[in-house]
């Protein structure tokens, strides 16, 4: 069992700026950018289809109350990228840990994405783990041009349930806003904590929640939706999937981050197939020891 860190007297203000563009000499996406501590840009990989795979590392070992991270990602026309994280992100408890702020402090992450015509981004970080008494808020804003595709997923474990720990008085918030050519496409705001952790219309006592959203460049087929639902077979937990005007949304609640990740990875493969793209390869930094595609 890993102990919580001592209360911090200072907070991180980390930023990362990521830029992707097509190479002028080859069908290859190149990247440039920079980051401030505790964020660090790791070595990028070029996949066979020219997509740039870029891992981000949080070097501080986790977030504490008051920490703020901002990641700004922009893709030029026709570029393709996959951005992921090197490891699961931890958010430590802050409620009752400081005499100056006994009510706790929020750790926050702001994500901004702008995709030009025909750009394609897959935002697939590893899971988020909230310790007891943690307060975490994420605000994601996506601006899409015509023909752009944005796929984003998040999996969160609320409390270290393997150690018999719940989220307690902690809370998790997530806001996702997607606009295409200036018109609203998706507005999704969620909060889990208190009674919603056990209520039937919340988590129903399950410790893991997951959400996947695909803002597609065109309406998707009913057949894709049916195949995505079939991909739930053999996985524990409750899973639901529905269509957007352009794209789809999938939700998971259950006992297993692995099951959530496996389902979302299968959906990722379905989406690639729907678009006539190369099948996905698992990012090199992911810890899977067996294939989730089966």
């Amino acid at each position: 069992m890993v102990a919580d860190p001592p209360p911090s007297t200072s907070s991180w203000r980390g930023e990362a700026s990521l830029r992707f563009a097509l190479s002028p000499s080859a069908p290859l996406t190149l990247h440039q950018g920079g980051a401030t501590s505790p964020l660090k840009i790791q070595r990028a990989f070029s996949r066979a289809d020219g997509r740039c795979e870029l891992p981000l590392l949080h070097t501080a070992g986790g977030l504490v109350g008051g920490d703020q991270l901002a990641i700004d990602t922009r893709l030029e026309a026709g570029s393709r990228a996959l951005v992921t994280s090197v490891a699961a992100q931890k958010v430590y408890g802050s409620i009752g840990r400081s005499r100056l702020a006994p009510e706790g402090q929020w750790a926050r992450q702001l994500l901004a994405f702008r995709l030009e015509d025909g750009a394609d981004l897959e935002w697939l970080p590893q899971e988020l783990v909230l310790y007891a008494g943690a307060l975490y808020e994420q605000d994601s804003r996506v601006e899409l041009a015509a023909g752009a595709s944005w796929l984003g997923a998040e999996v969160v474990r609320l409390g270290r349930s393997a150690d018999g720990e719940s989220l307690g008085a902690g809370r998790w918030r997530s806001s996702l806003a997607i606009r295409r050519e200036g018109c609203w496409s998706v507005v999704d705001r969620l909060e889990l904590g208190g009674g919603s952790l056990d209520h039937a219309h919340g988590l129903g006592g399950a410790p893991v929640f997951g959400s996947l959203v695909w803002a597609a460049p065109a309406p998707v087929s009913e057949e894709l939706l049916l195949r995505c639902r079939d991909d739930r077979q053999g996985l524990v937990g409750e899973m639901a999937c529905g269509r957007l005007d352009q794209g789809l949304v999938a939700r998971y609640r259950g006992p297993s981050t692995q099951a959530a990740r496996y389902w979302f990875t299968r959906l990722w493969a379905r989406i690639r197939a729907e678009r006539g793209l190369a099948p996905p390869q698992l990012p090199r930094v992911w810890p899977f020891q067996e294939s989730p595609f089966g």
Side-chain angles (χ1 to χ4, degrees):
M1 179 174 177
V2 179
D4 288 355
S8 176
T9 57
S10 61
S11 301
W12 286 106
R13 298 289 188 273
E15 298 181 356
S17 176
L18 310 176
R19 301 292 183 265
F20 298 91
L22 281 175
S23 167
S25 59
L28 189 70
T29 295
L30 306 177
H31 83 92
Q32 61 179 354
T36 63
S37 293
L39 294 174
K40 185 176 182 180
I41 299 172
Q42 299 291 91
R43 178 188 174 190
F45 301 96
S46 292
R47 291 299 187 180
D49 60 356
R51 185 181 299 268
C52 179
E53 178 185 308
L54 185 65
L56 288 176
L57 173 66
H58 186 275
T59 61
L63 297 169
V64 299
D67 285 356
Q68 296 186 28
L69 302 179
I71 301 173
D72 183 78
T73 305
R74 301 194 179 194
L75 277 73
E76 293 188 7
S79 59
R80 294 178 176 178
L82 163 63
V83 180
T84 188
S85 56
V86 173
Q89 179 71 283
K90 303 181 185 72
V91 184
Y92 297 109
S94 67
I95 296 175
R97 296 185 60 82
S98 169
R99 286 177 292 179
L100 297 178
E103 72 283 2
Q105 293 181 295
W106 288 84
R108 292 184 168 89
Q109 179 164 266
L110 175 62
L111 304 174
F113 306 93
R114 182 178 293 275
L115 281 64
E116 302 300 336
D117 292 353
D120 178 352
L121 177 64
E122 297 167 339
W123 169 255
L124 301 174
Q126 297 191 53
E127 65 264 25
L128 181 75
V129 181
L130 271 66
Y131 285 41
L135 299 169
Y136 178 81
E137 182 176 48
Q138 178 169 284
D139 184 6
S140 304
R141 304 171 189 176
V142 184
E143 295 283 347
L144 301 175
S149 173
W150 183 87
L151 172 66
E154 57 183 337
V155 176
V156 56
R157 177 173 289 275
L158 302 167
R160 294 172 295 172
S161 53
D163 294 325
E165 176 188 275
S166 69
L167 185 59
R171 304 190 82 83
W172 169 84
R173 293 175 182 165
S174 178
S175 174
L176 171 64
I178 302 177
R179 296 198 307 175
R180 186 181 295 276
E181 297 185 281
C183 297
W184 292 108
S185 177
V186 174
V187 177
D188 188 32
R189 295 181 177 176
L190 299 166
E191 178 169 339
L192 292 172
S196 65
L197 297 176
D198 296 309
H199 198 279
H201 294 295
L203 278 185
V208 177
F209 174 79
S211 181
L212 178 146
V213 176
W214 178 36
V220 303
S221 66
E222 180 70 21
E223 181 181 0
L224 173 65
L225 186 62
L226 295 176
R227 289 182 179 275
C228 288
R229 290 171 176 167
D230 288 342
D231 285 330
R232 299 175 293 192
Q233 296 180 10
L235 300 175
V236 297
E238 299 176 70
M239 288 153 272
C241 187
R243 280 196 296 178
L244 302 170
D245 288 342
Q246 285 187 209
L248 59 81
V249 59
R251 307 284 200 205
Y252 173 90
R253 74 172 185 181
S256 171
T257 55
Q258 183 189 64
R261 286 168 50 133
Y262 271 36
W263 188 42
F264 289 168
T265 303
R266 295 173 187 178
L267 300 189
W268 175 29
R270 291 290 182 196
I271 290 168
R272 285 277 194 100
E274 174 84 354
R275 302 184 62 204
L277 301 178
Q281 295 176 285
L282 297 181
R284 302 187 186 194
V285 296
W286 283 13
F288 286 172
Q289 297 180 3
E290 57 188 71
S291 174
F293 296 115

